[in-house]
Amino acid sequence: PNGANTDELADMLVENGIIESKGRFTFLSTVLMHNNKYKPGIYSLSPSMNMNSISNMLINGITTSDGFIIPDGYTVKQTAEALDHVGFADADTFKLVASSGIFTSQFDFLEGSSDLEGYLLPGHYEMSKDADEAMIIAAMLYQFDEFYTEEYRIRTSELGLSTRELVILASIVENESKLDKEMGTIASVLLNRISAGIGIEGGMPSKPLCSPSREAIEAVLYSEETDYLYYVLAETLDGTHIFTSDYAEYEAAKLAYEAALEAKNSVVEK
């Protein structure tokens, strides 16, 4: 809203589950000299975005002088709504075109799927507001096609994955990673579980959860070499994870996290 200061904004972000630490956000805002620069308006934000990206978006929005920026971890719905808010597209038309299947035969990485979730690559797009929804979506798919090189396609095959499975795993990494430095470790856990025949906890999603960043996709393609089979958010509540190959250790860490979260919530409620 108009007149909201950084403290009030941080409270809203915590309340809506976008960030976990009000203190870290206000500290970052001070360090980057972003205080008093945040603009009122409607924003499509995701918990998978890092704080720097969130802070920059609240200053600049998604529009640039020559187009727009789609943040990491956006879904098709979020992308449609964000572009609608800034006058680049009609959200309903965008979602209709995205689910129409008209692009399936044009891009081999879609593998016969008409669902574009996960393939609208985040990043900066130079685009006129005269471009229609189909042109915008095509530009984003071409960007994915250019990024997904022959080397990456070969590596995907070496891992025993389809392109769709790669993007699904990368979308999990995107959503689960609060810190970029942990992406490769989280990816290793997912791949280790698949290799061990355990499967992904909760089951492999039927489609990508969001559009993963380039970094998340590369984290799956070239993950760290570990023997970890489990990860859970740390009781420090700072977005870091505990990694282990021991189930009992995982369970203990999970209980510690849940206890810390409950204690924090009870303090907030008081």
Side-chain angles (χ1 to χ4, degrees):
N2 282 310
N5 60 32
T6 301
D7 276 350
E8 293 167 332
L9 177 56
D11 284 334
M12 284 186 281
L13 292 172
V14 170
E15 289 167 8
N16 285 279
I18 302 299
I19 63 173
E20 292 188 346
S21 172
K22 173 182 176 179
R24 286 178 62 203
F25 184 83
T26 55
F27 175 75
L28 177 70
S29 298
T30 300
V31 170
L32 297 178
M33 294 185 289
H34 285 177
N35 290 326
N36 303 317
K37 293 183 180 179
Y38 295 124
K39 297 177 181 177
I42 299 172
Y43 297 88
S44 294
L45 302 172
S46 165
S48 65
M49 295 168 63
N50 63 46
M51 284 196 183
N52 195 35
S53 296
I54 292 171
S55 183
N56 284 330
M57 175 167 282
L58 290 167
I59 291 174
N60 302 310
I62 70 166
T63 56
T64 65
S65 59
D66 59 358
F68 56 84
I69 297 172
I70 298 301
D72 302 337
Y74 262 31
T75 62
V76 169
K77 181 175 182 288
Q78 284 178 308
T79 300
E81 291 175 350
L83 291 173
D84 192 321
H85 290 326
V86 295
F88 263 100
D90 175 76
D92 291 336
T93 303
F94 188 96
K95 288 182 285 187
L96 183 64
V97 174
S99 62
S100 66
I102 63 173
F103 301 100
T104 304
S105 62
Q106 300 178 44
F107 299 95
D108 60 357
F109 58 78
L110 291 175
E111 299 176 330
S113 172
S114 61
D115 191 342
L116 302 185
E117 193 71 81
Y119 298 100
L120 302 183
L121 195 67
H124 177 212
Y125 290 88
E126 296 182 8
M127 191 77 62
S128 165
K129 286 197 174 184
D130 292 331
D132 63 20
E133 288 77 9
M135 293 168 65
I136 294 173
I137 292 170
M140 300 179 82
L141 293 174
Y142 276 115
Q143 193 91 313
F144 185 97
D145 195 35
E146 184 175 326
F147 165 74
Y148 192 45
T149 63
E150 185 62 22
E151 175 193 332
Y152 287 175
R153 292 166 190 256
I154 292 171
R155 178 60 179 164
T156 300
S157 180
E158 289 173 349
L159 291 171
L161 301 172
S162 66
T163 299
R164 186 171 182 79
E165 289 169 335
L166 166 69
V167 176
I168 289 173
L169 292 176
S171 74
I172 297 173
V173 170
E174 187 69 56
N175 274 1
E176 296 284 298
S177 304
K178 303 298 182 184
L179 304 172
D180 288 350
K181 67 180 182 180
E182 289 191 343
M183 281 187 171
T185 316
I186 289 177
S188 76
V189 173
L190 300 177
L191 292 171
N192 288 345
R193 290 181 66 87
I194 292 172
S195 295
I198 300 174
I200 295 172
E201 193 169 7
M204 175 80 85
S206 60
K207 65 178 184 178
L209 307 177
C210 64
S211 289
S213 62
R214 291 165 171 81
E215 291 78 12
I217 294 172
E218 289 167 345
V220 177
L221 290 171
Y222 303 101
S223 68
E224 292 183 13
E225 292 187 13
T226 75
D227 61 357
Y228 298 139
L229 293 173
Y230 310 98
Y231 63 87
V232 63
L233 284 165
E235 62 182 304
T236 51
L237 304 182
D238 60 357
T240 60
H241 289 83
I242 301 294
F243 298 92
T244 180
S245 56
D246 182 85
Y247 185 74
E249 186 177 343
Y250 160 74
E251 280 289 301
K254 182 179 178 183
L255 289 173
Y257 166 75
E258 290 171 348
L261 186 61
E262 184 177 352
K264 175 188 173 183
N265 289 338
S266 66
V267 170
V268 172
E269 288 173 3
K270 291 177 182 177

